[in-house]
């Protein structure tokens, strides 16, 4: 199964970001807490190499807490400021301003020495499609200032958002990178919904998800769907179809319907708090 999705507007968006980075003090990078490394665009490091950096691990409410703690340590050791959040919830947003001020304290001190007071921190919000950038901005601003959508590709252009006296945010479109060197990265992005489902084979995606769950979260499929986890992945999906009344014409088990049900329940957190990418696998 080959994963790739790089529509034309992403090239244009990347060029625009290269222009805008000159105006920025801080790069705020949102990653998906379920795939913290695979949801990082490698181009962002090059783009923001001389800037202060903050990684927001979004969708932390859907991720395995123990794994999120390990990933936070991983990024902190590399010199990033890190904070876990659920952008849909308003709580914890006040703390982000404190972290931004802490991350940019050298810049604030330089301004003070030059006699410049109350100049806001200018931050670019970046991340891959469907990671929750616009949702985060709206929660942080306390009002709907950025377009949101439960699918990749909603934000098409840039927009500046002023947040009080201290912070200005630049929202940017979600961009992937032209080629995934590791198809496992593509698989993880597909699982969490950062690649359009219309171009994916969801039957195969569900099989890959079951392989991962059997390895990392033994028992979770049996508990949720009352299936035999020792069976082959394809047989497990048919079993889910029978147990969840996913049937086609003629009352036959509908494999594709069950596959989509499984993927949806994983993405929504109904299946449990699951991290697809484990920090320990990289050590």
């Amino acid at each position: 199964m080959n994963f790739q999705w790089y529509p034309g507007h992403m090239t244009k968006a990347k060029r625009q970001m290269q222009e805008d980075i000159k105006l920025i003090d801080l790069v705020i990078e949102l990653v998906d807490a379920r795939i913290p490394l695979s949801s990082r665009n490698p181009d962002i490091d090059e783009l923001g190499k001389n800037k202060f950096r903050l990684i927001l691990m979004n969708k932390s409410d859907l991720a395995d807490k123990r794994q999120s703690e390990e990933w936070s340590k991983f990024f902190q050791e590399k010199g990033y400021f890190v904070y876990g959040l659920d952008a849909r919830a308003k709580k914890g947003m006040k703390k982000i301003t404190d972290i931004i001020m802490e991350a940019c304290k050298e810049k604030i001190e330089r301004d003070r020495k030059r006699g410049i007071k109350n100049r806001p921190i200018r931050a670019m919000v970046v991340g891959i499609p469907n990671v929750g950038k616009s949702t985060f901005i709206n929660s942080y601003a306390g009002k709907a200032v950025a377009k949101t959508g439960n699918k990749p590709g909603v934000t098409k252009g840039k927009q500046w958002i002023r947040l009080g006296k201290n912070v200005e945010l630049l929202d940017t479109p979600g961009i992937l990178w032209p080629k995934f060197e590791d198809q496992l990265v593509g698989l993880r992005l597909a699982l969490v919904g950062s690649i359009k489902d219309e171009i994916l084979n969801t039957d195969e995606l569900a099989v890959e998800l079951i392989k991962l769950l059997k390895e990392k979260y033994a028992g979770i499929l049996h508990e949720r769907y009352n299936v035999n986890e020792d069976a082959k992945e394809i047989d497990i999906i048919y079993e889910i179809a029978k147990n969840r009344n996913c049937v086609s014409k003629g009352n036959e088990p509908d494999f594709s319907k069950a596959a989509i049900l499984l993927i949806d329940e994983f993405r929504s957190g109904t299946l449990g708090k699951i991290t697809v990418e484990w920090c320990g696998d990289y050590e």
Side-chain angles (χ1 to χ4, degrees):
M1 194 172 176
N2 192 41
F3 300 93
Q4 208 59 54
W5 184 55
Y6 194 71
H9 75 268
M10 290 189 184
T11 308
K12 186 181 169 192
K14 186 184 169 187
R15 276 200 302 266
Q16 186 65 59
M17 286 162 75
Q18 286 165 332
E19 283 297 307
D20 293 334
I21 200 76
K22 301 163 195 166
L23 313 169
I24 299 299
D25 306 304
L26 171 74
V27 175
I28 299 176
E29 182 181 4
L30 269 79
V31 302
D32 190 311
R34 296 165 296 177
I35 52 165
L37 212 53
S38 291
S39 57
R40 296 194 69 217
N41 184 335
D43 293 342
I44 301 296
D45 274 340
E46 182 59 30
L47 195 70
K49 62 185 173 188
N50 298 316
K51 304 295 175 182
F52 301 113
R53 302 292 299 275
L54 167 59
I55 289 180
L56 296 179
M57 289 175 49
N58 192 28
K59 307 191 184 184
S60 288
D61 56 309
L62 302 174
D64 183 327
K65 193 180 174 190
R66 195 178 73 241
Q67 287 301 316
S68 293
E69 285 166 0
E70 287 190 28
W71 279 114
S72 287
K73 275 189 237 159
F74 175 90
F75 289 129
Q76 282 164 358
E77 283 166 9
K78 293 189 179 296
Y80 297 99
F81 285 82
V82 189
Y83 185 61
L85 79 156
D86 167 15
R88 294 169 303 178
K90 305 289 187 285
K91 60 185 180 187
M93 289 296 157
K94 282 183 183 170
K95 191 171 179 187
I96 290 171
T97 302
D98 295 338
I99 298 168
I100 289 172
M101 295 299 135
E102 176 65 22
C104 297
K105 66 181 179 185
E106 285 175 39
K107 184 258 180 199
I108 295 164
E109 184 58 24
R110 276 199 308 268
D111 282 354
R112 192 187 64 77
K113 284 178 179 171
R114 290 177 190 155
I116 301 165
K117 290 181 183 176
N118 301 324
R119 179 190 278 173
I121 299 294
R122 303 190 98 188
M124 180 186 277
V125 182
V126 300
I128 62 167
N130 203 31
V131 79
K133 294 182 302 300
S134 299
T135 304
F136 156 67
I137 288 170
N138 290 341
S139 291
Y140 191 19
K143 58 186 175 183
V145 289
K147 279 186 190 173
T148 63
N150 186 16
K151 59 182 180 182
V154 173
T155 305
K156 293 284 194 255
K158 66 170 184 176
Q159 59 179 135
W160 281 102
I161 294 118
R162 183 78 185 256
L163 300 176
K165 293 182 293 184
N166 295 327
V167 182
E168 282 184 359
L169 296 182
L170 177 60
D171 188 15
T172 60
I175 58 167
L176 291 167
W177 49 109
K179 190 169 191 299
F180 303 139
E181 297 302 329
D182 182 356
Q183 281 297 301
L184 198 53
V185 170
L187 169 64
R188 291 171 184 144
L189 290 167
L191 282 170
V192 301
S194 289
I195 297 175
K196 281 192 173 177
D197 283 338
E198 291 84 349
I199 66 164
L200 296 172
N201 182 327
T202 47
D203 290 359
E204 287 184 31
L205 200 58
V207 167
E208 294 300 328
L209 176 57
I210 288 176
K211 284 180 188 171
L212 178 133
L213 294 172
K214 284 165 81 168
E215 181 193 350
K216 301 290 192 188
Y217 294 93
I220 204 165
L221 288 164
H222 173 73
E223 194 179 317
R224 177 74 186 158
Y225 303 112
N226 193 26
V227 295
N228 173 18
E229 290 194 6
D230 294 328
K232 289 179 180 172
E233 288 79 20
I234 288 171
D235 294 334
I236 288 174
I237 294 172
Y238 273 117
E239 227 179 314
I240 291 171
K242 287 176 197 163
N243 295 348
R244 282 304 176 90
N245 202 28
C246 298
V247 291
S248 56
K249 285 177 184 174
N251 220 26
E252 290 297 313
D254 191 322
F255 187 94
S256 295
K257 228 183 240 183
I260 290 166
L261 170 80
L262 174 66
I263 293 164
D264 285 349
E265 293 204 340
F266 155 68
R267 287 177 182 168
S268 67
T270 308
L271 197 52
K273 294 183 187 297
I274 295 163
T275 295
V276 172
E277 186 173 43
W278 282 32
C279 192
D281 294 342
Y282 289 88
E283 289 167 2

